[in-house]
Amino acid sequence: MTAHARLSPSACDRWSDCTASVAEIEKLRAEGRIPERDSSQFAAEGTVAHEVREMCLQFGLEPYHFVGETISADGFTFVVDDDMSRHLQTGIDWVREHTSSPSVEIKVDLSPWLPGQFGTCDTGFIAGDLCTISDLKFGAGEPVDAVGNKQLRLYALGYWHFKGRPAVKSVLMNIDQPRAGGMKFWEISLEELIEFGEKMKLVYADIAAGRVKFAPGTKACRWCPVKDQPEGCAARNKWLLDMIVDEFDDLEGDEPKLLDASTITPERRWHIVKHAAEIRAWLAKLHEDSLQAALDGNPDPGSKAVEGDLGNRYFVDTKKAEALLVEALGDEAYKPREIIGITDIEKKVKPGRRKQGHPETWEELLKLVDRPPGKPKLVPADHAKPALTPLADAFDDLD
Ligand code: SF4
């Protein structure tokens, strides 16, 4: 078995951990249960943003030159607007601060590590003993970390190889994600990058030889199409179910008994909390599938579908309702007026390269902007932010 064209850098989090997913996805594709290529409006928007960025870096243009232009991708059409232009500018300016001749949209060959595989590196350049790659992520939904990013490391390997393996000391990887976290960086030594490449060689050898295993995990399963099948992915189902079921004394009967929370170890509690979002999403999908089965006339034993509660009331003729209300209540018929949100204000008031805006108002408004402190949140112990100190500890040194 070969692993030709199956191990894309963007899916490295999946196939490098869950090696069995590669053949599983191919099987589902062959059965027509997974499309050859996913296209969505969001992906197409990202493609358009990449095209604008590429032309700017390639031909010395600015994103605002494209405002008002219509560009199509994957069957979707977009008009480049001020927002896209503004979002692309920061990353383009950053690249230009560091090089005047970047490599742009380079197809990099990953064969020395993953035979037959390749990827497209958005931007790369070598300056002194530093090799830099920059990857645009135009999505706004999920912030992507640069630290530990396997996709970037594969691009970096490919770009370093493409440039003839220069004797650089370090590799700087940048994610330019203007709508979710901005510019993010991770620098590692060339030795560390090469070490990662060696690990990828071993992963490739295992996949090619069929020495594979299912290894569910947050990152591995995040974009895996196997879990989206009607029956889900058996390995992932078991992984999630084990997390929940172990917390019950007795699952039989109408009311399963939950273990006393104090008997759950702190390690196990964190393990469950860390995966709470996946557990919730998985339960929601089970609920949806169970409801659909009942609606299809094949309810899960012990269940049935009934009509839900009525939705919210609304006026079938809003104009007529408004006239009646104003006649009866005058100004009280309306909600109090409210100013638009800060994001909308920024769009309408902040001056731009091709937008006059209201510079003085914007200056004055900025003096009035504040943010409340964030609420404490739980993150993995290796998260970049320092841990909050318990209040009692903060007073320890006062003696
Ligand atoms: S859903 Fe997760 S465990 Fe299942 S095949 Fe995909 S990556 Fe592997």
Side-chain angles (χ1 to χ4, degrees), residues 90-101:
T90 309
I92 290 171
D93 287 347
W94 182 83
V95 172
R96 285 177 177 158
E97 274 166 32
H98 294 86
T99 180
S100 55
S101 53

Side-chain angles (χ1 to χ4, degrees), residues 285-341:
K285 184 169 185 305
L286 286 186
H287 183 271
E288 201 181 292
D289 292 347
S290 194
L291 174 63
Q292 194 55 53
L295 290 174
D296 292 343
N298 187 24
D300 295 343
S303 75
K304 65 179 177 184
V306 296
E307 194 172 307
D309 297 337
L310 290 177
N312 289 338
R313 293 174 295 175
Y314 65 94
F315 290 121
V316 287
D317 185 338
T318 40
K319 287 266 174 247
K320 196 168 175 185
E322 185 179 358
L324 284 167
L325 262 181
V326 170
E327 197 183 323
L329 300 178
D331 281 353
E332 280 180 50
Y334 296 99
K335 287 182 184 169
R337 284 212 309 166
E338 208 182 328
I339 60 169
I340 53 177

